[in-house]
Amino acid sequence: MQPHILVVEDEDALSELLQYNLKKEGFRVSMAADGEEALMLVEERQPDVVVLDWMLPKVSGIEVCRRLRTRQESRNLPIIMLTARGEEADRIRGLDTGADDYVVKPFLMQELFARVRAVLRRIRPGLAEDNVVVGDITIDRVAHRVTRSGTEVHLGPTEFRLLDYLIQHPGRVFSREQLLDAVWGSDVYVEARTVDVHIGRLRKALNKAGDGDPIRTVRSAGYALNPN
Ligand code: CA
């Protein structure tokens, strides 16, 4: 089944470009040009993902996001916000209001596709792509196989899930708590230190098969997977 995306964007040129490219990429696409229409279409058509522009007429993107989060049926609907360059405060506010991710304008279509697939993978793993390559690391989700520079890397199930999560956002730093929520689930009680143990195992396995440590430890912040 094709994943269904609702694009909420009031600029005609960008809106058309998004519609054209998302369709070509195999998505089913609905379009809304303002916040009110977006709220109505979410209820009517129940999309799998919403790509939501920040600056919209009538009801702003942030307000749409907030309202979707308060409704039971759209509480867990993935939302990717489109924000203007340099508006760091907006991005943080967007994530606080419940957006799952954001893309900064102007962006490459490939970047948006990657974000859309990442949120889909989280809610509906079967919809996302099967192979991801970042630098010299390849992950095959169907075979549950990881290679580095062509050499197979043997990982336990938790290390595999950790890598699978980190690889969706190369370069981004995740705190231990974020990794716990994403990999172990928010309803499981696991000590934050457990993350360090599994990162240690993942690192050891990856480094055995290649040069250079791809995992970056950020003191008192968390971990990131380096894109190169
Ligand atoms: Ca706009």
Side-chain angles (χ1 to χ4, degrees), residues 8-11 14 33 53-57 82 105:
V8 191
E9 171 58 69
D10 59 315
E11 288 161 49
L14 180 57
D53 187 28
W54 181 277
M55 300 290 283
L56 288 170
L82 304 179
K105 286 181 179 180

mmCIF file of all heavy atoms in Angstrom, residues 8-11 14 33 53-57 82 105, ligand 1:
data_model
loop_
_atom_site.group_PDB
_atom_site.id
_atom_site.type_symbol
_atom_site.label_atom_id
_atom_site.label_comp_id
_atom_site.label_asym_id
_atom_site.label_seq_id
_atom_site.Cartn_x
_atom_site.Cartn_y
_atom_site.Cartn_z
ATOM 1 N N VAL A 8 0.858 20.444 3.636
ATOM 2 C CA VAL A 8 0.185 21.698 3.946
ATOM 3 C C VAL A 8 1.162 22.830 3.640
ATOM 4 O O VAL A 8 2.147 23.030 4.337
ATOM 5 C CB VAL A 8 -0.226 21.757 5.438
ATOM 6 C CG1 VAL A 8 -1.151 22.935 5.671
ATOM 7 C CG2 VAL A 8 -0.868 20.454 5.876
ATOM 8 N N GLU A 9 0.889 23.514 2.562
ATOM 9 C CA GLU A 9 1.817 24.547 2.083
ATOM 10 C C GLU A 9 1.029 25.556 1.266
ATOM 11 O O GLU A 9 0.256 25.178 0.394
ATOM 12 C CB GLU A 9 2.921 23.885 1.244
ATOM 13 C CG GLU A 9 3.831 24.834 0.502
ATOM 14 C CD GLU A 9 4.546 25.809 1.416
ATOM 15 O OE1 GLU A 9 5.418 25.357 2.180
ATOM 16 O OE2 GLU A 9 4.226 27.014 1.371
ATOM 17 N N ASP A 10 1.210 26.849 1.549
ATOM 18 C CA ASP A 10 0.426 27.871 0.858
ATOM 19 C C ASP A 10 1.140 28.479 -0.345
ATOM 20 O O ASP A 10 0.525 29.190 -1.131
ATOM 21 C CB ASP A 10 0.024 28.994 1.829
ATOM 22 C CG ASP A 10 1.238 29.657 2.457
ATOM 23 O OD1 ASP A 10 2.153 28.919 2.874
ATOM 24 O OD2 ASP A 10 1.277 30.895 2.522
ATOM 25 N N GLU A 11 2.450 28.224 -0.497
ATOM 26 C CA GLU A 11 3.145 28.749 -1.672
ATOM 27 C C GLU A 11 2.909 27.796 -2.835
ATOM 28 O O GLU A 11 3.349 26.638 -2.794
ATOM 29 C CB GLU A 11 4.645 28.847 -1.408
ATOM 30 C CG GLU A 11 5.029 29.958 -0.455
ATOM 31 C CD GLU A 11 6.415 29.725 0.131
ATOM 32 O OE1 GLU A 11 7.348 29.455 -0.653
ATOM 33 O OE2 GLU A 11 6.545 29.759 1.361
ATOM 34 N N LEU A 14 5.999 25.832 -4.536
ATOM 35 C CA LEU A 14 6.573 24.779 -3.693
ATOM 36 C C LEU A 14 5.576 23.636 -3.514
ATOM 37 O O LEU A 14 5.936 22.455 -3.548
ATOM 38 C CB LEU A 14 6.969 25.355 -2.323
ATOM 39 C CG LEU A 14 7.582 24.353 -1.342
ATOM 40 C CD1 LEU A 14 8.808 23.675 -1.919
ATOM 41 C CD2 LEU A 14 7.937 25.048 -0.029
ATOM 42 N N ALA A 33 -3.932 24.118 1.538
ATOM 43 C CA ALA A 33 -3.245 25.402 1.347
ATOM 44 C C ALA A 33 -3.323 26.281 2.582
ATOM 45 O O ALA A 33 -2.730 27.359 2.627
ATOM 46 C CB ALA A 33 -3.834 26.132 0.137
ATOM 47 N N ASP A 53 3.870 23.212 6.708
ATOM 48 C CA ASP A 53 4.615 24.467 6.667
ATOM 49 C C ASP A 53 4.321 25.276 7.930
ATOM 50 O O ASP A 53 3.223 25.235 8.477
ATOM 51 C CB ASP A 53 4.198 25.270 5.417
ATOM 52 C CG ASP A 53 5.067 26.504 5.233
ATOM 53 O OD1 ASP A 53 6.231 26.483 5.669
ATOM 54 O OD2 ASP A 53 4.573 27.486 4.656
ATOM 55 N N TRP A 54 5.334 25.987 8.384
ATOM 56 C CA TRP A 54 5.209 26.779 9.613
ATOM 57 C C TRP A 54 4.331 28.004 9.393
ATOM 58 O O TRP A 54 3.428 28.315 10.158
ATOM 59 C CB TRP A 54 6.616 27.201 10.034
ATOM 60 C CG TRP A 54 6.656 27.993 11.272
ATOM 61 C CD1 TRP A 54 6.451 29.330 11.391
ATOM 62 C CD2 TRP A 54 6.901 27.511 12.586
ATOM 63 N NE1 TRP A 54 6.563 29.712 12.697
ATOM 64 C CE2 TRP A 54 6.846 28.621 13.450
ATOM 65 C CE3 TRP A 54 7.172 26.243 13.111
ATOM 66 C CZ2 TRP A 54 7.043 28.503 14.806
ATOM 67 C CZ3 TRP A 54 7.376 26.143 14.468
ATOM 68 C CH2 TRP A 54 7.311 27.255 15.298
ATOM 69 N N MET A 55 4.621 28.745 8.295
ATOM 70 C CA MET A 55 3.911 29.987 8.021
ATOM 71 C C MET A 55 2.732 29.704 7.106
ATOM 72 O O MET A 55 2.913 29.449 5.918
ATOM 73 C CB MET A 55 4.849 30.984 7.331
ATOM 74 C CG MET A 55 6.072 31.356 8.160
ATOM 75 S SD MET A 55 5.641 32.364 9.583
ATOM 76 C CE MET A 55 5.388 33.942 8.755
ATOM 77 N N LEU A 56 1.527 29.766 7.670
ATOM 78 C CA LEU A 56 0.327 29.465 6.901
ATOM 79 C C LEU A 56 -0.736 30.523 7.177
ATOM 80 O O LEU A 56 -0.784 31.073 8.273
ATOM 81 C CB LEU A 56 -0.252 28.113 7.335
ATOM 82 C CG LEU A 56 0.486 26.842 6.945
ATOM 83 C CD1 LEU A 56 -0.119 25.664 7.680
ATOM 84 C CD2 LEU A 56 0.431 26.625 5.437
ATOM 85 N N PRO A 57 -1.603 30.774 6.181
ATOM 86 C CA PRO A 57 -2.706 31.694 6.459
ATOM 87 C C PRO A 57 -3.748 31.037 7.385
ATOM 88 O O PRO A 57 -3.795 29.821 7.497
ATOM 89 C CB PRO A 57 -3.304 31.963 5.079
ATOM 90 C CG PRO A 57 -2.722 30.981 4.148
ATOM 91 C CD PRO A 57 -1.578 30.285 4.811
ATOM 92 N N LEU A 82 8.039 22.270 8.099
ATOM 93 C CA LEU A 82 8.939 22.985 7.190
ATOM 94 C C LEU A 82 9.196 24.350 7.819
ATOM 95 O O LEU A 82 8.254 25.108 8.057
ATOM 96 C CB LEU A 82 8.285 23.167 5.815
ATOM 97 C CG LEU A 82 7.816 21.908 5.095
ATOM 98 C CD1 LEU A 82 7.170 22.280 3.755
ATOM 99 C CD2 LEU A 82 8.968 20.941 4.865
ATOM 100 N N LYS A 105 13.905 25.119 5.133
ATOM 101 C CA LYS A 105 13.824 25.630 3.763
ATOM 102 C C LYS A 105 15.042 26.486 3.452
ATOM 103 O O LYS A 105 15.454 27.248 4.329
ATOM 104 C CB LYS A 105 12.577 26.511 3.606
ATOM 105 C CG LYS A 105 11.274 25.778 3.553
ATOM 106 C CD LYS A 105 10.185 26.846 3.375
ATOM 107 C CE LYS A 105 8.816 26.214 3.280
ATOM 108 N NZ LYS A 105 7.763 27.232 3.109
HETATM 109 CA CA CA B 1 4.079 29.345 3.886
#
